[in-house]
């Protein structure tokens, strides 16, 4: 099995930086952008399943963000559902989700791995919802929460 890195959301600030770093270290990177697959479209799952293969690592860094409305929330969940449906019958090496530190409540105390997720904004709720949905997949999952 090959181990390509599929970066979904590779045109964005975070996704493009991740793709560039992966390329610097010699990885085969497939940059996937909205022009390749519009994740909000009904055919997103079918289009993604033609890009992603067994053994790939998928980095999901795509979002309609910052999420400030219920409409954006639903769009973001729909975007993720397309990915989940696409990888149902694929064996990924790893699934990496780029979340946000917005899943934590505001605090003057330093955050750490054991800090409880208690989002106070719709943006944080969206990312936490996506994290929880991803735990239902059978793929090894890494969630990163940049500040």
């Amino acid at each position: 099995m090959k181990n390509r890195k599929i970066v979904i959301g590779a045109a964005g600030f975070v996704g493009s930086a991740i793709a560039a770093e992966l390329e610097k270290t010699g990885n085969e990177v497939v940059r996937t952008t909205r022009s390749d697959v519009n994740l909000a479209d009904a055919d997103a799952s079918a289009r993604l399943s033609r890009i992603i293969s067994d053994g790939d690592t998928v980095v999901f860094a795509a979002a309609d963000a910052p999420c400030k409305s219920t409409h954006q929330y639903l769009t973001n969940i729909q975007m993720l559902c397309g990915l989940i449906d696409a990888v149902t019958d694929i064996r990924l090496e790893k699934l990496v989700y780029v979340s946000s530190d917005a899943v934590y409540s505001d605090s003057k105390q330093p955050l750490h791995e054991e800090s409880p997720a208690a989002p106070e904004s719709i943006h944080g709720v969206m990312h936490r919802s996506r994290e929880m949905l991803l735990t239902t997949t059978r793929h090894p999952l890494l969630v990163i929460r940049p500040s």
Side-chain angles (χ1 to χ4, degrees), residues 2-3 25 31 37-38 56 59 67 86 95 105 117:
K2 51 190 164 189
N3 189 359
T25 56
R31 292 174 178 246
V37 179
N38 184 335
D56 287 342
V59 178
C67 182
L95 178 55
S105 62

Side-chain angles (χ1 to χ4, degrees), residues 58-84:
V58 172
V59 178
F60 192 79
D64 180 10
C67 182
K68 294 184 177 185
S69 70
T70 54
H71 175 74
Q72 279 183 291
Y73 173 88
L74 292 172
T75 298
N76 277 292
I77 297 302
Q78 179 183 359
M79 291 167 65
L80 180 72
C81 288
L83 171 69
I84 291 172

Side-chain angles (χ1 to χ4, degrees), residues 72-106:
Q72 279 183 291
Y73 173 88
L74 292 172
T75 298
N76 277 292
I77 297 302
Q78 179 183 359
M79 291 167 65
L80 180 72
C81 288
L83 171 69
I84 291 172
D85 291 345
V87 299
T88 297
D89 296 324
I90 297 173
R91 289 209 160 295
L92 297 179
E93 177 74 21
K94 186 169 290 185
L95 178 55
V96 180
Y97 176 58
V98 181
S99 183
S100 168
D101 67 350
V103 302
Y104 301 113
S105 62
D106 288 337

Side-chain angles (χ1 to χ4, degrees), residues 2-3 19 21 36 39 48 51 54 61 72 74 83 106 108 120 125 130 136:
K2 51 190 164 189
N3 189 359
E21 286 299 314
D36 302 308
L39 297 170
L48 283 172
I51 296 169
D54 285 342
Q72 279 183 291
L74 292 172
L83 171 69
D106 288 337
K108 294 189 186 297
E120 297 175 346
V125 169
R130 284 171 140 198
T136 68

